Each structure stands twice: as structure tokens, then as C-alpha cells.
Amino acid sequence: MEIMQVVTSLVCTQRVAGLDHSNLRVLRSSKGKLSVAVDPVGASPGNWVFTASGSAARWACPNPDVFTDLTIGGIIDFWEPDG
Amino acid sequence: MEIMQVVTSLVCTQRVAGLDHSNLRVLRSSKGKLSVAVDPVGASPGNWVFTASGSAARWACPNPDVFTDLTIGGIIDFWEPDG
Amino acid sequence: MEIMQVVTSLVCTQRVAGLDHSNLRVLRSSKGKLSVAVDPVGASPGNWVFTASGSAARWACPNPDVFTDLTIGGIIDFWEPDG
Amino acid sequence: MEIMQVVTSLVCTQRVAGLDHSNLRVLRSSKGKLSVAVDPVGASPGNWVFTASGSAARWACPNPDVFTDLTIGGIIDFWEPDG
Amino acid sequence: MEIMQVVTSLVCTQRVAGLDHSNLRVLRSSKGKLSVAVDPVGASPGNWVFTASGSAARWACPNPDVFTDLTIGGIIDFWEPDG
């Protein structure tokens, strides 16, 4: 799993079916790369989280039918980035 | 999921069976890398989209038998790239 | 899917079972990285192709039991690399 | 599988269900990249380990329902990093 | 599939169950990155091999229950690296 920081939410009106009720967050990796993740935890901008990718991302959702490839798995209590 | 911009459509006469009725788009990442994605949403050149990769890409298609590893999941309403 | 150019065929006498009847091609990405792909399409050196990776690579083969992680999905009609 | 070194454990109170009883470790790759892995082996900070990623990470756990994408597969007896 | 060179075998006494009877090799990519692969072919240090990754790695093993994400698929007859 990767360690990333929540940047913001993603507003996306036109979606394919199957993601409709999922919260989407924009995350930033330690290298500055931005990704989009499903958030079943309720993370806020600035939180450090770890993410599950690949097929594990679907299992990390309450509904595994969501077609995500990146899901927030938890909010890290303490994290000092030094990347 | 990744955030990418639609560049153009891809013309590809000789394909393996199973992709015949899918629209293919060339996408560019924030780092300039080009990829090819199935587009079930109907995105236009210039649109910013997010994409599902891996096995999630198949589930994001109306027909999950399509052998894609990258599918457009939605068109982002507002996006300011600053990568 | 990625856009790559066919470099050559790969001669590989000692293989594990399950790939015996597959044509293998060496492909080069826009960054110069070389990979090996199963070719069910019949691409020639110099052709620009797009490739399916991950589990999609197996479904892109006539026989999905082939243990490939990269398969040529089609030959691109026109392509101007400018990477 | 990748070769990585254990840095520390990860404290993460707010998690999604399904990871509750797994030990999480922060690992560092030879390039300095940090990742989070499930540890069914019991590795200590400083240990060099190899990790299974993707769907293999779930099978490497005693309970394959854990939604991990990175799991420690073993502790390497001797390793001289020179990356 | 990737083209890599065998560096050495990996000695790893403490492993999770499920890899016990597999030979593990350390491989080096053209960029110098080291990885660990299951070797069902019997490759020797110095050999150039191609590897299957992801879920294909499990299918490339005689026993697909092995939780590998990288498996040697064959030894390349002739290879001139020029990376």
C-alpha cells in the first residue's frame, strides 16, 4: 500500500455507472504525483492515508462491485513526510 | 485512478477480436506519457478524465468481457493541471 | 493500453509449458524500454501497436490460458511518435 | 517480488474493516520509496525482506480476504544493498 | 513480459507458507533494478530470461497456488543488452 496525502475532493458529474455513490478524493504521493481514490473512510484534506491498489482496491470498498483501482484503507495517526 | 487529458481518437483497423465496438482514445498524463483507453463515456479531445486501470478497467465497461487495461471512468468538471 | 513499436521476434527455446505456440515479440516503448509481448495479430518489425497488460493480456489471447502479462491488441494505422 | 527494508510499524487507528488484525510495516525500497505492507512473518525494523504485490499479496496472507496489495513473503538471510 | 538477467539465488529461511519448494532468483533489469522471481525453468546466473508478472506469474508456475508476482518464463537464446 502507498502513503499519500489528501488534497481535495473530485467533482465529476459525468461518470460511468457503478461509481455513483462513492466519494472521490484527489491524493498526492510523496513525489507529487496526483491520483484519484475512492474514500470509504471519510478522510479530510491534509490527512495522510494509506491506499490499496489493484484488485485489492475493490475489496477495500464496502461494495466490491465498485470499479476502483485505488481505495483509501486508513488514516495514519502520525506521519512525518521527509521524502 | 489517474487523471489524464484526451488527445485524440485512435484509428486501428487490425485488432484482435473483442475490442471491435469500443471507442479508443489516446490520453496524455501530467508527465506527458501517452496511453490508450476504452471510452464508454464519450469524452472529447481536451477533456480531463479519470481512468481506471488493471482489472477495474474491465468492470468499468458496459461489457466486462472487453480486454482493456485502461478505461475512462468519468469527465472531470473542473481541473487545473499544475503538474 | 500502451503504444509501442515492434523491434524483433524473440527466440527462446527453453520455456515453461503454456507458451509453446505463441509468437513472442520484443517491443520498445516511447522511452526506449524493451518488453516482450505475445502477438496474436501478426505484427512486423517497425509496426506501431497498442498492448494490453495485466490480466487483460490473457483475455486478449485466443487461448486465455496463456500466462502472458503483455499482449498486442492491434496495429495502429497511423502514428507519429514525438515522445 | 521486491527487496525492501523494514523501517517501522504503522499506527493507523481509523481503518476500513478487513485489515483489523494485520500488522502493518513501513518498508523502504532501494530507491528510498516508502510503502506499507502486511507482515505475516514478524519482521523487525532493519530486516531485509521480499514482498509480493498485486493479487499475490492476498494469497500470501494466512487469511486471503485481507485487502492488501503488498505482503512480506520472507526475511532474507543475507543481503548487501548496493543500489 | 520483461527481459532480465539472473544475478544469484536468494537464501531466505523464514518464509510464509506456500513458497517452500520454489527456487527464488535475484534478477536485474536493464536499468539495474533488482527483483526476486520464482524460477521453474532452472536458470543460471548470467542467463537472460523473460519474466511474467502479476497474476500471470502464478499461472506460469507448475503449482498456481504459489503466491508469486514474478516468474521466469523462459531463457532467451541470444540477447545483446544495449540499454
Side-chain angles (χ1 to χ4, degrees):
Chain A
M1 287 80 78
E2 300 300 317
I3 296 170
M4 306 181 90
Q5 191 173 29
V6 180
V7 179
T8 181
S9 295
L10 189 74
V11 180
C12 199
T13 311
Q14 284 178 267
R15 305 186 193 185
V16 301
L19 270 180
D20 291 33
H21 302 290
S22 304
N23 289 316
L24 298 179
R25 309 277 184 237
V26 179
L27 308 181
R28 181 188 288 120
S29 75
S30 62
K31 291 189 173 178
K33 186 170 188 291
L34 299 179
S35 302
V36 177
V38 168
D39 178 9
V41 176
S44 303
N47 280 166
W48 287 92
V49 298
F50 72 90
T51 54
S53 66
S55 53
R58 288 202 304 279
W59 297 107
C61 288
N63 174 6
D65 290 341
V66 167
F67 64 83
T68 177
D69 64 6
L70 194 71
T71 300
I72 295 176
I75 302 173
I76 303 173
D77 291 8
F78 306 103
W79 188 252
E80 290 292 332
D82 54 12
Chain B
M1 287 80 78
E2 301 300 317
I3 296 170
M4 306 181 90
Q5 191 173 28
V6 180
V7 179
T8 181
S9 294
L10 189 73
V11 180
C12 200
T13 312
Q14 285 179 266
R15 304 186 192 186
V16 302
L19 270 180
D20 291 31
H21 301 291
S22 305
N23 289 317
L24 297 179
R25 308 278 184 238
V26 179
L27 307 181
R28 180 188 288 119
S29 75
S30 63
K31 291 190 173 177
K33 185 170 189 293
L34 299 179
S35 301
V36 178
V38 167
D39 178 8
V41 176
S44 302
N47 280 166
W48 287 93
V49 298
F50 71 91
T51 54
S53 65
S55 52
R58 289 202 303 279
W59 298 105
C61 287
N63 174 7
D65 290 340
V66 168
F67 63 84
T68 177
D69 64 6
L70 194 71
T71 301
I72 295 176
I75 302 174
I76 302 172
D77 291 8
F78 306 103
W79 189 251
E80 290 291 334
D82 55 12
Chain C
M1 288 80 78
E2 302 299 317
I3 297 171
M4 306 180 92
Q5 191 173 29
V6 180
V7 179
T8 181
S9 295
L10 189 74
V11 180
C12 200
T13 312
Q14 285 179 265
R15 306 186 191 186
V16 302
L19 271 179
D20 292 32
H21 302 291
S22 304
N23 289 317
L24 298 179
R25 308 278 184 237
V26 179
L27 308 182
R28 180 189 288 120
S29 75
S30 63
K31 292 190 173 177
K33 186 170 187 293
L34 298 179
S35 302
V36 178
V38 167
D39 178 8
V41 176
S44 302
N47 281 164
W48 287 91
V49 298
F50 71 91
T51 55
S53 65
S55 52
R58 288 202 302 281
W59 297 107
C61 288
N63 174 7
D65 290 341
V66 167
F67 63 85
T68 178
D69 64 6
L70 194 71
T71 301
I72 295 176
I75 302 173
I76 303 173
D77 291 8
F78 306 102
W79 188 253
E80 290 292 333
D82 56 10
Chain D
M1 288 79 78
E2 300 300 316
I3 296 170
M4 306 181 91
Q5 190 174 28
V6 180
V7 179
T8 181
S9 295
L10 191 73
V11 180
C12 200
T13 311
Q14 284 179 267
R15 305 186 191 186
V16 302
L19 270 180
D20 292 33
H21 301 291
S22 304
N23 289 316
L24 297 179
R25 309 277 183 237
V26 179
L27 308 182
R28 180 187 287 120
S29 76
S30 62
K31 292 187 173 179
K33 186 169 189 293
L34 298 179
S35 302
V36 177
V38 167
D39 178 8
V41 176
S44 303
N47 280 164
W48 287 91
V49 299
F50 71 91
T51 54
S53 65
S55 53
R58 288 201 305 279
W59 298 107
C61 287
N63 174 6
D65 290 341
V66 168
F67 63 84
T68 177
D69 64 6
L70 193 71
T71 301
I72 295 177
I75 303 174
I76 303 174
D77 291 8
F78 306 103
W79 188 252
E80 290 291 333
D82 55 12
Chain E
M1 289 80 78
E2 302 299 317
I3 297 170
M4 305 182 91
Q5 191 174 28
V6 180
V7 178
T8 182
S9 296
L10 189 74
V11 181
C12 200
T13 311
Q14 285 179 266
R15 306 185 190 186
V16 302
L19 270 180
D20 292 33
H21 302 291
S22 304
N23 289 317
L24 298 179
R25 308 278 184 235
V26 179
L27 307 182
R28 180 188 287 121
S29 75
S30 63
K31 291 188 173 179
K33 185 168 188 295
L34 299 179
S35 303
V36 178
V38 167
D39 178 8
V41 176
S44 304
N47 280 164
W48 287 92
V49 298
F50 71 91
T51 55
S53 66
S55 53
R58 287 202 304 280
W59 298 107
C61 288
N63 175 6
D65 291 341
V66 168
F67 63 84
T68 178
D69 64 7
L70 194 71
T71 301
I72 296 177
I75 302 173
I76 303 173
D77 291 8
F78 306 102
W79 189 254
E80 291 292 331
D82 55 10

